[in-house]
Amino acid sequence: MLAALVALLTASSASAQTAAPRRTTRGGELAAGAAIDSLFDSAAEGSRSDAPVKKALNGQTSKASVRPQWTARLARNPKADDGNPPYVLIDRYGGIQRYVEPTPTVNLDHYLGQTITVRRDTGHTLLASQLELPKVARPAGAVVGASGGDVRLAAAEIPLEATPTLADAPEGAAAAKPAMEALPDPIPDPQSMVDGDSGNWVDEHGNPINMSEGADPLYLDESAGGHLQGCSTCGSAVCQAQGGCGYGSRPVLYVRGEYLAWWADGMYVPPLVVRGEVGNNGTPNDPTDDTFDNAYLVFGNQDVLAGIRSGGRVRVGYWLDDYGQTAIEGEYFGFGQIDTNFTDGGNGTFPIVGRPFIDATTGLNAVEDVSFPGIRGTVSVDIDSQFQSAGIGLRRNLCCAAGNTCCGDPVTCGSQVGGCGAGVNNGPCATLFGKGTRHTDVYFGFRWAQLQEGLAVQENLEVIAPSTDVGTTFQVNDIFQTSNEFVGGELGFLWDWEYRRWSLELLSKLGIGSTRQRVNINGYTVRTEPGAASETGSGGLLAQDSNIGQYERNELSVLPQLGVTLGYKLTERLKLTGGYTFLYWSNVVRPGDQIDLEVNPGNLPFANPPDPDGLPARPQFTYRQNDFWAHGLSAGLEYQW
């Protein structure tokens, strides 16, 4: 028997020496993480309150605060009817340090009286999954110590209430030292701590589990019941890793706010402003027959609003269960109005400026004068655009993998969806994604989006010599406005990976629904003669009675999104995020596409002479639709409760 004891001590020493290098390597990273946490986390060790523990212990101050790994002795709660969990961790003096809540997959009776390491200390009450249990469990009722029955695991703890300890003794009274094996000091002892990375984890059937590096067994699932995918092991000890599918592995509520810097598909603008020269038509002394010659384009026939757009995005999610299976999630993102403008003009002699159009009666190019002998003025073009979108839906977990272990057979943790799969041993992502935890979630919900844009052209003209009616002014206005509103269903997948402080999220969504297209065209001209009241005529240049009006229709559209987000946890709850998103929207109307450059000059307001029959009735309105896309970068913070 002595030889067996020596062999057991030798094996334990060898195990501790083997585990020590791994513990040292990880300790450096945990120390760095703790330093960062102390800068951002309001619940740093120095600010934590022990009031809840003190209240639970009937006014006795707990000797332990929330701290890194430490050891204590597992015992039964001597006051079984005090409403606290049935197990406690006690120090060498018998003082209660923490209460322990059991789980169905861990039988704590096998570890009563043994030294237990606390892997993750969260305060007053711990789950059994937060304990690093000894690798070899003693049978219930086994004798502890060499005195032949002084302490029994189950039986020895029951009369603990009748055996006062130093913590329970009245002030000034001497407490008898319990006749049992000496309890360890709760201060962490590197020689007595069990290295969690080298321990053997087993499921409820006693089968060993290979835990991936960096996956802390923090929360155990307390239910091995039915699962959406019919996987009987989902949520059991197979997936009981930090960030996995188990109890408490996902936050209750998460909020993410991001700044967006996106680029969008530019709006096409037809030719709107030209410059040129004065042609005297062979009669230099007769300005009445001068022509607009050698015209060249100065604005239009181009895409505008293609620059960067600043905006914001807010995403809020709430998990409806403690196992991270179903959540309701909503988001809103949009951009402030972006606009551009252009102005040109002259004094009638230089520069020579005009607005181009096609004469519908001849089919030839023509120009409406803005700055030309006999008239002076300016022309301005104002264009604006605004985009926003919102969505709400349910997020359902399909599968989860911790290391090389997977839950969710139908999707196999992303082998068809995420690309790296559950069995990453032989895949290209094996080195990276074989560590940590991976989730694949399905999303189905409602999507709304809106794109509003406008284009307005305004001329301010004054008649000058040698023309007649000197001093008469004209204000010519053409207004084109469009609105697109998408309403439809949305289906998507979210794949995320988390390893220690780092995380990666891939998103793909497809919205299918109806886009309500609205086009509003308006135009008017104001003429003011010297000494007379202003007159307003219907129509400008490109907006005439033939196309003025409001037009609406519905079109089937698709609105897919693709995104990737990289995250880094500054504290346990606060995460720094940065990512990229691409969005596409089919079948939208935009202002520049609705402009018809063919004009019947005889239908212009105050035309001299007017067209008697108004034919051809141009410009005219015809629906012209296009596609819209946007993409860009994001940076923000996510806070989890």
Side-chain angles (χ1 to χ4, degrees), residues 285-303:
N285 296 324
D286 184 8
T288 60
D289 62 353
D290 289 349
T291 59
F292 199 111
D293 292 344
N294 301 324
Y296 62 93
L297 187 66
V298 293
F299 184 79
N301 197 30
Q302 65 189 59
D303 287 342

Side-chain angles (χ1 to χ4, degrees), residues 37-38 41-49 65-68:
D37 286 341
S38 66
D41 195 350
S42 61
E45 182 166 344
S47 64
R48 298 187 190 273
S49 172
S65 60
V66 177
R67 57 183 184 268

Side-chain angles (χ1 to χ4, degrees), residues 561-583:
Q561 291 186 64
L562 298 174
V564 56
T565 302
L566 182 66
Y568 180 81
K569 282 191 173 182
L570 299 175
T571 71
E572 191 171 356
R573 293 183 178 180
L574 186 64
K575 180 193 295 185
L576 179 67
T577 65
Y580 170 85
T581 304
F582 174 83
L583 177 146

Side-chain angles (χ1 to χ4, degrees), residues 103-107 110-111 128-129 131-137 196 198-211 217 220-221 233 235-241 405:
T103 59
T105 56
V106 178
N107 187 356
H110 293 299
Y111 303 96
S129 57
L131 307 179
E132 190 70 35
L133 301 174
K135 300 176 184 179
V136 180
S198 62
N200 293 326
W201 283 80
V202 296
D203 59 19
E204 62 270 28
H205 304 297
N207 300 317
I209 301 172
N210 295 321
M211 301 297 295
L220 292 178
D221 190 347
T233 59
S236 66
V238 176
C239 292
Q240 294 161 2
T405 305

